[in-house]
Amino acid sequence: MLAISFTWLFILLSSLAFKRETIKNSPSYSPLISILIPAHNEERVILDILNDFLKQTWRKFQLVVICHNCSDRTFEVASSLRDERLKVIELKTREAGKALALNEGLKHCEGDIVVQMDADNRVPPHFLQRIIGYFSNPKIQAIQARLLTKNADFNLLTKCQQLEYDLFGMPFWEGRMALGLSCTIGGTGVVIRRKILEEVGGWENELIEDFDLYCKLTQRGIRVVYAPDVECYDEKPPYWSSLIIQRARWIKGHFKILRKRMFQPFPLFDIIYMLSPFFYFPWYLCALITALYFPFQRLGLGITFWFPSVYLWLLSLIAMYLFFVYRAISQKEPRDIIYLPVFFLFSFTG
Amino acid sequence: MKKIAKRSRIYFLFPYPPHILYPLLLLSLIILIFLFTALFFKYERGNSNPFLSLLGIETTKDFLFFLLVIICALFVLLVLILSLGFLPSTPSLPA
């Protein structure tokens, strides 16, 4: 637990040395971009993202919407838009899984660059233009957009998730970049050259297909670049039950991929990242020991803690708290400091 | 009453032993943090959500998960407090 706390802290502090990748705007570079939008019962939100893309300043793109096992009117709603750049596909499969829809969509992609989005995302009008800025550098093979929270104002839970991304998630990616590592993939706002995607065989139908893709890219030595100026607004679960289901799926998927790729070669930091779910167990073990502390004392089975480790743990928690305060101020959101105590409580389980 | 009076002499401020008092105080603190932050959020964002929805609670399941979060936070904070020796060594409880 101490090891994971200090690794996270080290990566967070490294983010202070993060410098954005230099963007070359070459007017001669004008590729077609394919945008993949898998949708499962998204009739409520699908038009928003499609309209966002149709308003882009970069006009050379192709939109591929894959309505996967939809039981609502997603297909009809998406098809109601008339634009030659829009292609809506209806996909029915026995199995469930976002990867199936993405792979089906990839077959219809004609662009050199593939953008993977979720149907409930929103993007600003300069989203594609900024992507082109990065990809005009031939060394860049894949980028991860900055993930912002679309529904941060809905309730305290979505606010906590916004803080989690702004104060922890994004600095974590920046820190990895500053250390010369690859940025991990966030499941949406991912942009990859089509050639690379085809080489790695697209997505595999895993619970967290994004992490699996990240593993495949890392093993081929492909570095995912974090692009903080390419913004993608993502919708977060607004209620505890949906949040816990989402997190449980992430942990289960993480273990599944760990089991699958356990004996494959990975850089050290990626091994730590892959093993991180194991480090959560000591955390809950501590909680259990605490719960048993007084009953043990009553039974005459006194237990003692190893004090230095607890002091170090507390030190790492305080350092993280101070880092979050600094981050909130540097992001020009000082009012977020007021939410830090509740965010800390949320993060004990989140 | 006699028991409480006897305990008051042992535990100076409150007539409860630390293994009851500290979790209770922490629990109250955690709940207060949640409630005050939710109120602040409502005020700051002009949010019209009902109070429970503001805390992310819509169904009974949400409420149970919310309680789970509070219990986990309580445990983690207790680990810190106990481990760092903020608590006095437990006095022998009255018979």
Side-chain angles (χ1 to χ4, degrees):
Chain A
M1 191 161 67
L2 264 181
I4 199 84
S5 289
F6 276 91
T7 308
W8 276 189
L9 187 62
F10 175 65
I11 296 176
L12 287 181
L13 291 176
S14 304
S15 72
L16 301 175
F18 169 72
K19 279 189 187 127
R20 206 185 66 179
E21 208 71 26
T22 40
I23 298 170
K24 292 174 192 169
N25 274 319
S26 160
S28 59
Y29 185 67
S30 171
L32 176 73
I33 302 181
S34 295
I35 301 135
L36 279 182
I37 308 174
H40 174 69
N41 294 343
E42 305 279 7
E43 63 174 9
R44 190 179 52 89
V45 287
I46 192 75
L47 274 185
D48 292 339
I49 186 163
L50 294 180
N51 281 322
D52 281 354
F53 276 111
L54 295 174
K55 285 177 198 158
Q56 288 292 307
T57 51
W58 181 267
R59 314 287 298 165
K60 204 174 165 188
F61 65 86
Q62 169 204 22
L63 266 170
V64 181
V65 181
I66 312 102
C67 304
H68 189 203
N69 291 343
C70 288
S71 54
D72 67 352
R73 295 183 63 254
T74 309
F75 180 78
E76 288 79 10
V77 173
S79 307
S80 68
L81 277 180
R82 294 272 162 251
D83 194 293
E84 58 183 17
R85 293 168 296 181
L86 174 66
K87 197 173 200 172
V88 187
I89 303 158
E90 192 160 31
L91 178 68
K92 297 275 180 201
T93 58
R94 275 190 187 176
E95 276 181 276
K98 192 168 144 187
L100 299 175
L102 287 167
N103 286 328
E104 180 61 29
L106 186 61
K107 289 179 198 164
H108 297 267
C109 286
E110 292 159 15
D112 297 334
I113 297 166
V114 177
V115 183
Q116 181 203 332
M117 302 296 297
D118 280 347
D120 57 4
N121 292 164
R122 300 295 303 267
V123 287
H126 49 69
F127 181 74
L128 293 178
Q129 186 79 51
R130 291 197 173 163
I131 286 174
I132 290 297
Y134 280 88
F135 278 85
S136 56
N137 178 353
K139 285 181 186 165
I140 293 180
Q141 306 290 352
I143 66 167
Q144 169 62 58
R146 180 181 177 190
L147 297 182
L148 296 153
T149 307
K150 191 172 97 176
N151 54 343
D153 286 352
F154 184 74
N155 64 19
L156 201 55
L157 193 58
T158 54
K159 178 71 190 169
C160 282
Q161 289 173 84
Q162 183 220 330
L163 293 179
E164 186 186 21
Y165 272 71
D166 288 356
L167 306 181
F168 181 80
M170 299 305 113
F172 184 74
W173 283 347
E174 289 175 12
R176 286 181 63 96
M177 292 296 296
L179 291 168
L181 299 163
S182 174
C183 169
T184 56
I185 287 177
T188 184
V190 184
V191 193
I192 309 179
R193 289 189 195 271
R194 183 159 63 102
K195 187 180 67 171
I196 302 285
L197 259 179
E198 286 170 349
E199 270 174 28
V200 298
W203 292 266
E204 288 183 33
N205 199 16
E206 296 288 350
L207 281 171
I208 44 169
E209 75 298 323
D210 48 336
F211 184 51
D212 193 69
L213 178 65
Y214 166 76
C215 290
K216 289 202 280 187
L217 294 176
T218 308
Q219 284 178 322
R220 279 167 179 76
I222 294 161
R223 188 167 174 255
V224 182
V225 170
Y226 172 54
D229 53 338
V230 181
E231 294 148 340
C232 166
Y233 289 82
D234 191 19
E235 194 171 292
K236 303 282 183 259
Y239 297 109
W240 286 99
S241 50
S242 46
L243 177 80
I244 300 280
I245 288 167
Q246 186 198 51
R247 303 277 158 134
R249 185 171 56 84
W250 287 356
I251 292 174
K252 199 176 161 191
H254 206 106
F255 275 117
K256 217 176 149 198
I257 289 167
L258 185 66
R259 204 168 59 220
K260 187 167 115 184
R261 301 193 179 273
M262 196 187 284
F263 299 109
Q264 297 173 0
F266 279 101
L268 177 68
F269 271 94
D270 286 301
I271 294 171
I272 296 173
Y273 183 71
M274 283 176 91
L275 290 173
S276 59
F278 282 113
F279 293 98
Y280 299 133
F281 287 109
W283 183 278
Y284 291 104
L285 191 67
C286 278
L288 189 69
I289 291 171
T290 313
L292 295 173
Y293 182 82
F294 284 107
F296 271 23
Q297 299 284 51
R298 292 290 295 266
L299 292 168
L301 303 166
I303 47 169
T304 51
F305 292 92
W306 186 46
F307 289 94
S309 64
V310 182
Y311 279 110
L312 284 173
W313 183 38
L314 184 66
L315 193 74
S316 75
L317 285 182
I318 292 170
M320 270 194 204
Y321 199 97
L322 291 177
F323 176 82
F324 293 155
V325 170
Y326 163 78
R327 181 80 186 184
I329 293 168
S330 66
Q331 294 280 307
K332 297 187 176 63
E333 293 287 349
R335 291 176 87 84
D336 282 352
I337 295 169
I338 295 165
Y339 295 104
L340 281 184
V342 81
F343 168 63
F344 246 58
L345 294 176
F346 163 82
S347 64
F348 284 152
T349 45
Chain B
M1 281 305 287
K2 261 186 184 176
K3 259 188 180 177
I4 290 174
K6 202 174 174 186
R7 277 179 187 175
S8 312
R9 285 198 296 277
I10 301 167
Y11 307 112
F12 178 63
L13 280 176
F14 299 95
Y16 299 105
H19 64 283
I20 294 174
L21 179 69
Y22 277 71
L24 273 179
L25 282 179
L26 276 176
L27 188 67
S28 321
L29 182 73
I30 291 170
I31 291 173
L32 278 178
I33 288 175
F34 266 102
L35 296 184
F36 277 112
T37 317
L39 275 178
F40 179 76
F41 181 85
K42 198 176 174 76
Y43 162 76
E44 192 201 19
R45 310 267 154 169
N47 197 308
S48 59
N49 268 359
F51 197 73
L52 278 180
S53 173
L54 214 60
L55 286 169
I57 300 165
E58 186 85 342
T59 59
T60 321
K61 217 172 166 185
D62 294 322
F63 183 66
L64 291 176
F65 282 128
F66 177 68
L67 281 184
L68 186 77
V69 169
I70 289 188
I71 290 167
C72 286
L74 183 71
F75 277 178
V76 173
L77 291 175
L78 269 176
V79 168
L80 283 176
I81 288 181
L82 291 171
S83 321
L84 292 171
F86 290 157
L87 268 180
S89 60
T90 324
S92 56
L93 292 167

